[in-house]
Amino acid sequence: MEELAYDQERELRALITAGLDGDAEAYHRLLERLTEHLRAYYRRHLARIGHGPAEAEDLLQEVLIAVHTHRHTYDASQPFTPWMHAIARYKFLDYLRRTKSSLKDMPMESAEELTAHSDMGAVESGLDLQRLMSRISSKARIAIQYVKLQGLSVSEAATRCGMSESAVKVAVHRGLRALSLRISEERRP
Amino acid sequence: MNTNRLIDLLSTNLEPVSHDRLRRTLILGMVTGGTAAFAVMLATVGPRAGLLSTTHLEWSGIKLLFSLSVVGMGSPLLIRLMQPGLEKETHWALVWLPFMVAMVAALLAFLFCGHQEWREMLLGASTVSPARCLLLIVFFSAIPLAALFWAIREGAPTRLKLCGTIAGVVAGGLGATAYVLTCRSDTMPFIAIWYGTAMAFCGFLGAQIGPRLLRW
């Protein structure tokens, strides 16, 4: 068990380190691995307040975007699992506050609990990307459309939008942050 | 939305990130906030008369030592609070250490002086000095607090109230640093009690607004 956690930590840490340097393949792999762990983590915790797998998937997607837009807060000299666990736990507590659910006995857990289980069965989340996209600024929407959905390079997107390359990068980053905020608003009663 | 599609979206055209972005943002926030506090001080009350005479300069040095050590203790804590997973092992009480040292120095000053001087030591230059000190430090801290909150939002704080408190105390330290140049009261008890109260109050304000403004 301990050895497993250690191996997972080593693998995830190698992936995030490569991802921070811009290795898209490693980063993709990292997000897939995190998805398995986070899905199991949120399904287990949300089941205890009577929420189903679709809500867990919403929360998982919000966390994936949060991990992405806050990936610069990971310090490569530190272990990865506590970083990920702190984000997962923060977003879970935020979810409880937002949905006015209470969980009096949310136990103090160890960071390894996050990677102790994994669950492959995906469900659709209730989130509609097109609808969420319609609620962010048009500049950010176009930038995300070109760079993230159609996969144009930043310089191509910059030419098409008539913006500078750094303006496109900023628009993508702000747009993704706005998307994650919109997701959290969706669930507010 | 399908999660695999989201993962594809996030990893398409992945940008490398620089590892010292948080530190640079926080420094930028502190420099901007500190400069603004100084400019507000110059534009409103202005520096005190005789600031550069030797005794006043010595007292200003002591005041600056207090306010800057609060900033110096608080800002490394802020960096840690902006990074998930590091907040647990952060000794956040360290930020109060300069306050303790100042209080001990104030008590010693009281002990070594006669009763008849206590009132003057406590009130400073005039009876309105404590109120002026409190109001101006809090006033000068407003822009630094806004600048620090802006910087913290680049990070991912998970303990919002604590993070707001430390940001408030650091902003108070920057505000107090600007106030030093206009402060006319040169006694240790005055510095410890009124500077201390003003900076702690800024921490209290930060704690109140932190959970709302630092959410992400």
Side-chain angles (χ1 to χ4, degrees), chain B residues 67-78:
Chain B
S67 64
L68 289 176
S69 58
V70 170
V71 175
M73 288 303 225
S75 40
L77 299 181
L78 273 185

Side-chain angles (χ1 to χ4, degrees), chain A residues 46-170:
Chain A
L46 261 55
R48 297 169 54 204
I49 53 167
H51 290 201
E55 282 93 351
E57 202 74 7
D58 285 3
L59 193 49
L60 157 68
Q61 294 185 357
E62 186 190 338
V63 171
L64 287 177
I65 301 180
V67 163
H68 179 76
T69 53
H70 293 83
R71 63 193 190 280
H72 60 277
T73 65
Y74 172 65
D75 179 344
S77 68
Q78 300 288 331
F80 175 77
T81 314
W83 180 79
M84 189 58 244
H85 179 254
I87 293 180
R89 190 168 194 279
Y90 170 79
K91 284 291 182 182
F92 178 61
L93 294 175
D94 192 57
Y95 176 89
L96 291 182
R97 247 192 311 276
R98 265 187 336 241
T99 56
K100 304 228 173 10
S101 319
S102 73
L103 188 60
K104 289 184 199 78
D105 57 348
M106 172 74 185
M108 282 310 289
E109 30 181 53
S110 68
E112 284 73 33
E113 204 202 330
L114 181 69
T115 48
H117 304 270
S118 66
D119 188 330
M120 294 295 285
V123 293
E124 276 305 284
S125 79
L127 303 167
D128 179 344
L129 184 60
Q130 291 310 321
R131 193 182 69 229
L132 289 170
M133 289 273 279
S134 71
R135 295 174 56 207
I136 64 175
S137 80
S138 61
K139 201 156 104 179
R141 184 165 61 236
I142 294 166
I144 291 178
Q145 188 73 42
Y146 281 151
V147 177
K148 290 297 196 178
L149 288 169
Q150 296 178 14
L152 294 184
S153 73
V154 172
S155 66
E156 277 176 294
T159 322
R160 290 210 197 168
C161 304
M163 288 156 69
S164 72
E165 285 188 30
S166 60
V168 170
K169 286 182 199 171
V170 169

Side-chain angles (χ1 to χ4, degrees), chain B residues 40-41 44 134-144 175 202:
Chain B
V40 168
M41 185 278 295
T44 53
L134 291 175
L135 288 175
L136 285 179
I137 289 183
V138 175
F139 174 56
F140 294 157
S141 304
I143 301 181
C202 291

Side-chain angles (χ1 to χ4, degrees), chain A residues 28 57 72 91 127 148 152, chain B residues 1 3 8 12-13 154:
Chain A
H28 194 277
E57 202 74 7
H72 60 277
K91 284 291 182 182
L127 303 167
K148 290 297 196 178
L152 294 184
Chain B
M1 171 167 46
T3 302
D8 290 341
T12 304
N13 281 317
E154 269 300 296

Side-chain angles (χ1 to χ4, degrees), chain B residues 30-202:
Chain B
M30 286 174 56
V31 170
T32 314
T35 312
F38 190 73
V40 168
M41 185 278 295
L42 288 181
T44 53
V45 289
R48 69 182 271 182
L51 180 67
L52 297 177
S53 74
T54 331
T55 44
H56 293 161
L57 214 53
E58 278 168 15
W59 276 107
S60 294
I62 293 174
K63 294 168 189 169
L64 284 178
L65 189 67
F66 184 18
S67 64
L68 289 176
S69 58
V70 170
V71 175
M73 288 303 225
S75 40
L77 299 181
L78 273 185
I79 278 279
R80 293 181 71 83
L81 284 167
M82 288 160 77
Q83 295 172 284
L86 294 187
E87 60 285 84
K88 262 180 223 155
E89 57 215 82
T90 302
H91 302 290
W92 57 271
L94 275 178
V95 78
W96 302 116
L97 189 65
F99 293 78
M100 307 279 193
V101 174
M103 285 308 270
V104 170
L107 283 176
L108 289 177
F110 270 141
L111 285 179
F112 286 107
C113 291
H115 289 264
Q116 58 283 9
E117 287 175 65
W118 283 14
R119 189 184 139 83
E120 197 189 329
M121 287 170 82
L122 195 60
L123 291 180
S126 77
T127 46
V128 295
S129 292
R132 183 174 181 271
C133 170
L134 291 175
L135 288 175
L136 285 179
I137 289 183
V138 175
F139 174 56
F140 294 157
S141 304
I143 301 181
L145 188 59
L148 285 179
F149 269 43
W150 165 82
I152 293 167
R153 289 182 56 89
E154 269 300 296
T158 53
R159 297 181 67 181
L160 304 186
K161 199 159 192 171
L162 176 59
C163 193
T165 307
I166 307 284
V169 172
V170 172
L174 292 170
T177 304
Y179 173 74
V180 164
L181 304 182
T182 185
C183 174
R184 287 189 293 259
S185 304
D186 298 336
T187 80
M188 201 53 225
F190 183 93
I191 298 171
I193 293 169
W194 305 116
Y195 277 59
T197 305
M199 290 189 279
F201 181 73
C202 291

